[in-house]
Amino acid sequence: MPFIIVLILASCSDDDDTVMEPMATCDDGLMNGDETGVDCGGSCTPCEVMGMDPDFSGTFSQVDFMGRPGINTVLSVDGATKDAHNVAIPSEMTATFQAPFEARLEQYHDVYALKLGLDPNDVNYENNILGLDATTLTTVLSADVLQVAPDLPTTYFDPGTDFDNDGRILVPDGDEVALTGRKLSDDIIDVSLILLFGGAEGDRFSGQDLDMDGISDLPRLTSDGVGLTATITTTFPYVSDPE
């Protein structure tokens, strides 16, 4: 006699669609709950007990200041000078490095003059958009620290400032705001190059095509060609994770 097997399928429906979050624990590899570190702090074992605090024991060596990134890369005559600048005491930087930096700046202009088929004596540093001559500029830049002006906007250079409404921006007339600090969004490499090679209008060597043949006749020295790619946020650490 054949057997008949009857399958009865039953389904249950739960009207409660709430997703239960896993309970925070002290060994889940996550910083959750009231933890102040990963699986430590708060109601878990203190982070210092678990050895999570940074270890500052031992001997540390200074490798860079980075107050003005790229300055000693551009103006150092060799790697040894750059390395020495990176570990120098700020108060001693100007006396040690200003003169070599100025000589390097003038040397660049001589090289570009020869490339252009011109007399090096006719192509020299030109006072920049801030009206600074070569000695004053390299004096400022040789000290790898950022000045702060508490009574002015914080910026490395704001070319859009025109306090006296005379319509002049990239012409030194006393109302520019520059070198009063640094915003995260400031392109300080481009600003530094403009101050070094841009002349009075900020665009002296900007890859101009003088004879309109589609080929640059002047070197492009006022930008590194790299724009800001990070997303600036309003909370620490302010710069978003790289994509």
Side-chain angles (χ1 to χ4, degrees), residues 19-68:
V19 177
M20 298 298 293
E21 294 291 336
M23 181 178 295
T25 67
C26 296
D27 58 359
D28 56 11
L30 301 173
M31 190 177 79
N32 48 23
D34 63 352
E35 298 169 3
T36 59
V38 177
D39 292 338
C40 67
S43 57
C44 300
T45 303
C47 293
E48 57 269 25
V49 174
M50 297 183 65
M52 299 297 289
D53 277 0
D55 181 6
F56 292 110
S57 62
T59 301
F60 293 83
S61 298
Q62 179 177 305
V63 296
D64 202 347
F65 272 83
M66 295 298 287
R68 305 185 191 278

Side-chain angles (χ1 to χ4, degrees), residues 154-202:
T154 298
T155 183
Y156 201 66
F157 176 68
D158 182 0
T161 301
D162 185 15
F163 288 148
D164 56 12
N165 297 312
D166 64 356
R168 298 190 301 172
I169 297 175
L170 292 182
V171 178
D173 60 357
D175 61 5
E176 296 82 6
V177 175
L179 306 179
T180 57
R182 173 187 175 186
K183 299 193 299 291
L184 286 174
S185 57
D186 287 343
D187 191 339
I188 66 172
I189 299 296
D190 276 12
V191 172
S192 297
L193 293 174
I194 289 171
L195 295 178
L196 292 166
F197 304 110
E201 294 293 333

